Amino acid sequence: MNAAFPRRISLVAAGALLALAWFAFAQPSGDEPLVSPRDTMRVFLEAFVSEDGRPDLDAAAACLDLGDLPFPVRARQGRNLANELKHVIDRLEFVELQAIPDDGELERWVFSDELSVPLVLAPDGDGRWLFNRATVAAIPALYEEVRDRTVVEGVEEAPVTATMWLRDRIPETLRSGGFILYPWQWLALPVLLLLGFLIDRLVVWTAYGLLAKPLSRRYENLDLPGARRILRPTGLLGMAAAWWLGIQWLGLPAQVDAWLDTTLLVLLLLALGRAAFAQVDLLGTALEARASRSENRFQDQLVPFVTKTLKLAVSVFGAVFLIARLGGDVTALLAGLGLSGLAVALAAQDLLKNLFGSITVLLDRPFRVGDWIKIGEVEGVVEEVGFRSTRVRTFYASLITLPNARLIDASVDNYGARQFRRWSTRIQVTYDTPPASVDAFCEGIRQLVRENESMRQDAFEIHLNEFGVDGLEIMLYVFFLAPDWSTELRLRHDLALDILSLADRLGVRIAFPTRTIQLEPPPGDDSDA
């Protein structure tokens, strides 16, 4: 598969992750002092005045005490409530800042008690003057009270949000009553659910049509199943995005909004994680294809290590992102990990040893995937090098998982790193073989070695070496140029057949174990045998 495809997908995934990181951790600064009722009202009203006509709803929301709102939707709900509060104030009176007290020592100040719930500003626990929680909770009901009033003269009305625009067009009978939600919201939820499923199907169909088929024509050996695995989550992303935008239009109560927001966030993270894992697999496929074209087999064992590291990083990032969006203090979490680092290190010392063992294998390269190794009593072919362990396939087909901690100080006998493979054996011929035939037989074997291009020519020994129990022993000490054991066995087989053919031509008999038994009569027995 061409590496350009996973590389482009990686850039898209990286951009999505960076956008999510900003969305997760970027929060309104709220640096305004808000030390008195006048100061708070000034900041609130100035947030709706800008040269480009777009209000700073984050600054306006900072003037509201949002402590009762669930954290996942606090920022979004705060912006909507601030905008609705501005519409309420615009229909009550023209605000004269000079008429508002600038005394921060007051206990509370009532801006208006004309409606069913008064608009009250009070200092919070930090001394910042805010519209108190009772006022914030009543804003939607207050807006319903004044929505039919005209804006007071001299006031520039705040813009209408999508939620307000949709709600104002719902019939009055559907905007009152209901259990937990208004009737129109109950009716809108199944419609939104169906719309999300339709968008899922449409996005997947479009992605297949625009990307999968053209890529299969452009890139040879493209992994189409892998491409589908990474394109399939795009439908889930589209569905989650449609639902997320839809619930913002519905203006749901804070608790329901928070529950749905968290559910959709988890769905979004799962879809992104699935897409990220799929593109990591595609990246691994591209790297494996490149490694297969390279003579350096170090890349073969580096590829799974890299892919597992990337998947672990994606998982950790997703967990931290979710904790941050749910209101967890990530800074405190990291600080806690720092304080408990010693305890964690002691508890996970075996894990750390195995990790360092993995790094040792990658850096020192005592063996590679596919090598025949022997470590202590473990002998076999390396199949995989992981974070914690190395898997070795033995010659009787079992799979041994070897902790990488053992590789730090273990002696590794790497048979696979040999350029030549030695064969040292003895050939026995019978004692009745004439000396000239023995010498001709040895010279004939030497000539077989010289004519074999798969054998080392500068280091071999073939001599009459011992007077054995069963025959004359000829030492055979040769080296084969064989990259693996299977090739070595084939070359041994061919040489052994050539030696047997040579012995047959020269009339040399190969000895086999023999025993001579001499029978003697018992003492005192003079009878004839």
Side-chain angles (χ1 to χ4, degrees):
M1 183 184 65
N2 193 297
F5 176 64
R7 187 182 302 117
R8 293 175 182 176
I9 297 297
S10 299
L11 293 176
V12 174
L17 290 177
L18 289 176
L20 279 175
W22 176 87
F23 178 70
F25 300 109
Q27 299 293 338
S29 60
D31 292 334
E32 294 291 343
L34 309 180
V35 295
S36 68
R38 181 189 299 176
D39 193 38
T40 298
M41 186 61 73
R42 175 186 59 80
V43 172
F44 180 79
L45 295 178
E46 288 180 353
F48 291 89
V49 180
S50 62
E51 295 181 356
D52 57 2
R54 296 194 302 178
D56 186 356
L57 294 180
D58 288 326
C63 299
L64 278 61
D65 189 344
L66 305 175
D68 286 342
L69 298 181
F71 183 85
V73 296
R74 185 175 298 170
R76 185 174 72 239
Q77 289 265 349
R79 289 190 290 268
N80 291 334
L81 291 172
N83 193 73
E84 289 188 357
L85 178 60
K86 178 61 166 60
H87 280 270
V88 172
I89 295 176
D90 290 346
R91 287 163 174 77
L92 290 178
E93 62 179 87
F94 184 87
V95 179
E96 293 285 353
L97 291 178
Q98 297 302 321
I100 301 176
D102 196 21
D103 184 3
E105 300 299 326
L106 298 174
E107 293 186 1
R108 63 197 296 266
W109 178 72
V110 179
F111 171 74
S112 174
D113 57 2
E114 178 182 344
L115 302 176
S116 59
V117 177
L119 303 182
V120 178
L121 287 88
D124 66 356
D126 297 328
R128 300 172 67 245
W129 278 80
L130 306 172
F131 288 94
N132 66 6
R133 298 186 182 185
T135 301
V136 171
I139 289 176
L142 297 178
Y143 175 74
E144 288 296 324
E145 287 187 40
V146 302
R147 60 186 297 269
D148 295 329
R149 298 186 186 184
T150 58
V151 177
V152 299
E153 186 178 354
V155 172
E156 182 178 352
E157 187 177 9
V160 177
T161 63
T163 302
M164 297 169 63
W165 179 88
L166 178 62
R167 184 172 54 193
D168 291 344
R169 282 157 180 77
I170 298 298
E172 182 67 29
T173 55
L174 298 178
R175 285 193 289 112
S176 60
F179 175 70
I180 300 177
L181 305 179
Y182 293 117
W184 73 273
Q185 293 173 331
W186 283 115
L187 293 175
L189 285 177
V191 175
L192 182 61
L193 187 67
L194 178 60
L195 179 62
F197 285 121
L198 291 177
I199 291 178
D200 174 29
R201 296 289 89 195
L202 179 62
V203 170
V204 171
W205 179 79
T206 304
Y208 283 175
L210 295 180
L211 296 177
K213 293 181 180 179
L215 285 173
S216 64
R217 291 194 299 266
R218 179 174 180 180
Y219 300 121
E220 296 181 0
N221 301 324
L222 176 65
D223 182 13
L224 280 180
R228 291 190 179 96
R229 286 196 304 271
I230 196 171
L231 294 176
R232 178 63 186 89
T234 57
L236 298 178
L237 293 175
M239 180 173 62
W243 287 345
W244 186 75
L245 292 174
I247 63 174
Q248 295 187 60
W249 278 56
L250 297 182
L252 301 173
Q255 296 296 333
V256 178
D257 191 15
W259 184 83
L260 290 176
D261 184 88
T262 302
T263 302
L264 294 179
L265 176 62
V266 172
L267 176 62
L268 179 65
L269 289 177
L270 290 176
L272 280 175
R274 183 178 172 185
F277 275 32
Q279 70 93 14
V280 168
D281 289 337
L282 285 178
L283 182 62
T285 302
L287 293 177
E288 287 176 356
R290 177 177 297 180
S292 64
R293 296 192 298 269
S294 174
E295 297 181 358
N296 183 6
R297 294 176 62 191
F298 169 67
Q299 297 181 11
D300 294 338
Q301 65 193 83
L302 186 61
V303 170
F305 190 86
V306 170
T307 54
K308 290 180 180 179
T309 302
L310 290 176
K311 289 183 178 180
L312 178 61
V314 169
S315 301
V316 172
F317 179 86
V320 173
F321 176 88
L322 184 60
I323 292 173
R325 289 303 300 170
L326 294 180
D329 192 345
V330 178
T331 304
L333 175 63
L334 297 178
L337 291 177
L339 293 175
S340 59
L342 179 59
V344 172
L346 291 175
Q349 55 181 332
D350 291 338
L351 177 62
L352 294 177
K353 287 181 181 179
N354 291 327
L355 179 59
F356 288 141
S358 302
I359 296 174
T360 300
V361 173
L362 291 176
L363 296 180
D364 293 346
R365 285 180 278 179
F367 54 80
R368 298 169 295 187
V369 174
D371 281 351
W372 169 15
I373 66 171
K374 183 177 182 181
I375 303 176
E377 297 181 354
V378 178
E379 182 177 2
V381 178
V382 179
E383 282 197 354
E384 182 182 355
V385 179
F387 279 116
R388 194 195 68 83
S389 61
T390 295
R391 291 178 173 84
V392 178
R393 180 72 65 178
T394 65
F395 295 112
Y396 42 90
S398 67
L399 186 64
I400 295 180
T401 301
L402 187 67
N404 289 336
R406 291 183 55 183
L407 304 178
I408 298 178
D409 53 4
S411 297
V412 180
D413 192 355
N414 190 344
Y415 296 107
R418 297 175 295 176
Q419 182 180 6
F420 297 97
R421 295 172 181 252
R422 187 189 68 171
W423 187 22
S424 179
T425 188
R426 300 289 188 271
I427 303 174
Q428 289 190 343
V429 298
T430 58
Y431 271 106
D432 60 358
T433 305
S437 297
V438 173
D439 189 53
F441 184 56
C442 292
E443 183 59 32
I445 297 176
R446 295 187 192 103
Q447 189 61 30
L448 291 175
V449 174
R450 295 188 188 101
E451 294 175 355
N452 194 331
E453 297 180 353
S454 298
M455 302 184 69
R456 189 173 179 178
Q457 304 296 322
D458 60 341
F460 64 88
E461 301 293 341
I462 302 169
H463 307 283
L464 178 61
N465 189 56
E466 293 284 350
F467 293 94
V469 176
D470 301 312
L472 301 172
E473 290 189 355
I474 298 174
M475 180 181 69
L476 178 67
Y477 187 86
V478 295
F479 293 89
F480 295 105
L481 180 61
D484 51 55
W485 190 40
S486 178
T487 304
E488 177 188 359
L489 293 178
R490 180 177 56 79
L491 294 175
R492 281 192 188 189
H493 173 85
D494 294 341
L495 180 60
L497 291 179
D498 291 340
I499 291 174
L500 291 176
S501 298
L502 175 64
D504 186 62
R505 289 197 306 270
L506 296 178
V508 174
R509 293 185 301 163
I510 304 299
F512 54 87
T514 59
R515 295 291 183 272
T516 301
I517 300 176
Q518 182 179 352
L519 299 177
E520 296 183 359
D525 187 358
D526 296 333
S527 62
D528 295 331

